[in-house]
Amino acid sequence: MTDSTRGSSASGAAHRADGAHEAGSADASLRDRWREALVGARGGASGPDPLPYADNLLARWAEPQRRYHTTAHLAAVLDRIDTLAAYAADADAVRLAAWFHDAVYRPDRSENEERSATLAERALPEAGVPADVTAEVARLVRLTVTHDPADGDTNGEVLCDADLAILAAAPKEYAAYAAQVREEYGFVPDDAFREGRAAVLRQLLGLPRLFRTPHGVDQWEPRARQNLLTELELLSR
């Protein structure tokens, strides 16, 4: 082995080690956030160790078919919920709903939200969460099918706004999101994908409001609409 090859190998190994360390740190942070939300949802009551549940969910969010719906998306949604938490009636229930909302995700299937809600209904009582909170989490997960909370549904407004906040990202980040979505649907031919994606964008643009919380309306709505219009224009070329 030459010195240059040895150096290249060492550099590659160091890079992989750094990546693994960063992933481990991110997972540790997410485990802490899961523990806090679960303990909060229990209302101070004792229960099983939260970490095995976190590890099960993190393994789901790290499945190989995912490109956008990954632990990075989960962390981003949790960050946005923290930003919007004051608007929610039960922020811990909303946080738990974020953990479950894409826990089951297969881009070639249409029942992901229902299966994710069913997973929450099975796991949360076992984890010590009261029945009423479990029901609210499952309801919120199912709401992400339409992202259309009823007026006054503050928990739903916070979860849906947090989930859609990527639409208001800076242009470079939005472009990366759009590319990741395309990768997840790599099994769909280009023409069919463009047609389907354009229909989704037009449906979103046709909504009176993309966001429901005051923060979302004020801070995210204008940029989100511009991003959607830009992507729609690019798809039509």
Side-chain angles (χ1 to χ4, degrees), residues 29-46:
S29 175
L30 284 168
R31 289 185 185 93
D32 288 342
R33 297 173 84 166
W34 165 262
R35 183 194 299 108
E36 291 171 5
L38 183 63
V39 170
R42 288 173 179 169
S46 60

Side-chain angles (χ1 to χ4, degrees), residues 72-98:
H73 170 59
L74 171 61
V77 172
L78 291 170
D79 287 345
R80 298 296 180 263
I81 291 171
D82 288 347
T83 298
L84 303 173
Y87 300 115
D90 186 345
D92 285 325
V94 179
R95 292 183 177 101
L96 291 181

Side-chain angles (χ1 to χ4, degrees), residues 46-114:
S46 60
D49 182 357
L51 293 186
Y53 296 91
D55 289 340
N56 179 279
L57 287 165
L58 287 170
R60 291 174 178 274
W61 282 89
E63 291 165 341
Q65 76 275 12
R66 299 168 182 259
R67 294 297 182 271
Y68 170 66
H69 295 87
T70 64
T71 52
H73 170 59
L74 171 61
V77 172
L78 291 170
D79 287 345
R80 298 296 180 263
I81 291 171
D82 288 347
T83 298
L84 303 173
Y87 300 115
D90 186 345
D92 285 325
V94 179
R95 292 183 177 101
L96 291 181
W99 274 88
F100 281 96
H101 83 288
D102 284 320
V104 178
Y105 183 74
R106 290 289 299 272
D108 57 338
R109 296 180 181 175
S110 60
E111 72 277 11
N112 291 316
E113 292 85 0
E114 180 58 34

Side-chain angles (χ1 to χ4, degrees), residues 163-185:
D163 196 25
L164 293 180
I166 184 61
L167 301 180
K172 185 175 180 180
E173 184 182 357
Y174 184 90
Y177 146 73
Q180 289 164 350
V181 170
R182 180 64 185 106
E183 288 180 34
E184 286 187 340
Y185 286 87

Side-chain angles (χ1 to χ4, degrees), residues 114-127:
E114 180 58 34
R115 294 177 66 201
S116 294
T118 299
L119 178 65
E121 290 170 331
R122 186 170 68 246
L124 290 176
E126 181 183 290

